Amino acid sequence: MAPVPRAVIDAARRLTDEDEIQAMMAESVQRRFCTTAMLTEELDQAGRTGTALPRKALVPLLAGARSVAEADAWRLWRRSGLPPGHWNVPIFDANGNHIATPDFWCDEFALAWEIDSYRHHANLDDHRATVARNARYVAAGIVVLQTLPSRLRTEPELVLGELHAAFRTARARPRPNVVIKRAA
């Protein structure tokens, strides 16, 4: 028996596939079995052997990414030259009503980026929730770009072009009255 952070890091040190490491570490955080701080502490206490890939996988998680796809998106955004933003922060309208928690949020221009996989939006309830979320974005005046996870790897330059186009659209209109709320 080992604490979750220790078990995750021990397993990650034995793996060689970056996506498997990223997925395991992201899932342990997303399911609230541990925090990124706990994983960082465990990595800091581990020897150097086998820690390069887990350390690399931890960086996007520390920024707020919650999955392999979001880590890919994080890397692509960093290449984009666009303003920094926030990962997975709740957005509210002027009346305090929750709009959505986008995968990525550029607060300066009220631009949301959703990495929408078929797997997580395929059943009727999930599809309804996605359509309702997108309607709330439109009603609030938020520019939103939806990207399939596979395109982050197969068409990164096209996705970068779409990000820049969405950014230009968001920048060209008055910023809507929406706010982010961070966890305390």
Side-chain angles (χ1 to χ4, degrees):
M1 289 285 244
V4 171
R6 173 73 184 266
V8 169
I9 296 304
D10 283 352
R13 292 174 70 186
R14 289 174 176 78
L15 295 173
T16 57
D17 183 278
E18 290 183 43
D19 286 348
E20 286 179 6
I21 294 167
Q22 187 81 67
M24 179 179 57
M25 292 175 72
E27 186 167 352
S28 70
V29 172
Q30 188 173 16
R31 291 185 181 226
R32 295 189 172 112
F33 294 139
C34 64
T35 65
T36 55
M38 295 166 128
L39 292 174
T40 301
E41 183 179 336
E42 192 60 43
L43 267 173
D44 289 346
Q45 292 176 3
R48 300 295 294 172
T49 305
T51 62
L53 292 178
R55 287 179 196 284
K56 183 178 175 184
L58 187 59
V59 174
L61 299 180
L62 289 168
R66 294 181 177 167
S67 66
V68 172
E70 287 183 22
D72 289 344
W74 177 84
R75 289 180 188 95
L76 194 60
W77 187 271
R78 286 183 41 128
R79 283 185 39 211
S80 74
L82 295 172
H86 312 276
W87 292 89
N88 297 293
V89 293
I91 309 303
F92 294 83
D93 67 16
N95 297 321
N97 298 311
H98 181 255
I99 298 167
T101 302
D103 295 324
F104 178 79
W105 177 252
C106 181
D107 193 53
E108 184 177 356
F109 297 100
L111 169 66
W113 187 21
E114 295 286 0
I115 312 304
D116 287 338
S117 69
Y118 175 77
R119 191 173 90 206
H120 293 289
H121 301 269
N123 72 48
L124 184 57
D125 289 339
D126 291 342
H127 181 70
R128 270 193 190 126
T130 300
V131 170
R133 175 202 70 194
N134 291 346
R136 290 189 306 273
Y137 280 138
V138 169
I142 293 169
V143 173
V144 61
L145 176 64
Q146 290 177 271
T147 302
L148 293 172
S150 59
R151 294 188 64 230
L152 297 167
R153 292 186 182 189
T154 62
E155 304 173 320
E157 298 310 315
L158 289 174
V159 173
L160 279 173
E162 292 165 0
L163 280 169
H164 282 271
F167 174 77
R168 286 190 300 274
T169 299
R171 187 178 59 190
R173 54 94 168 98
R175 188 187 182 287
N177 189 9
V178 296
V179 297
I180 61 175
K181 291 193 179 175
R182 294 181 180 258

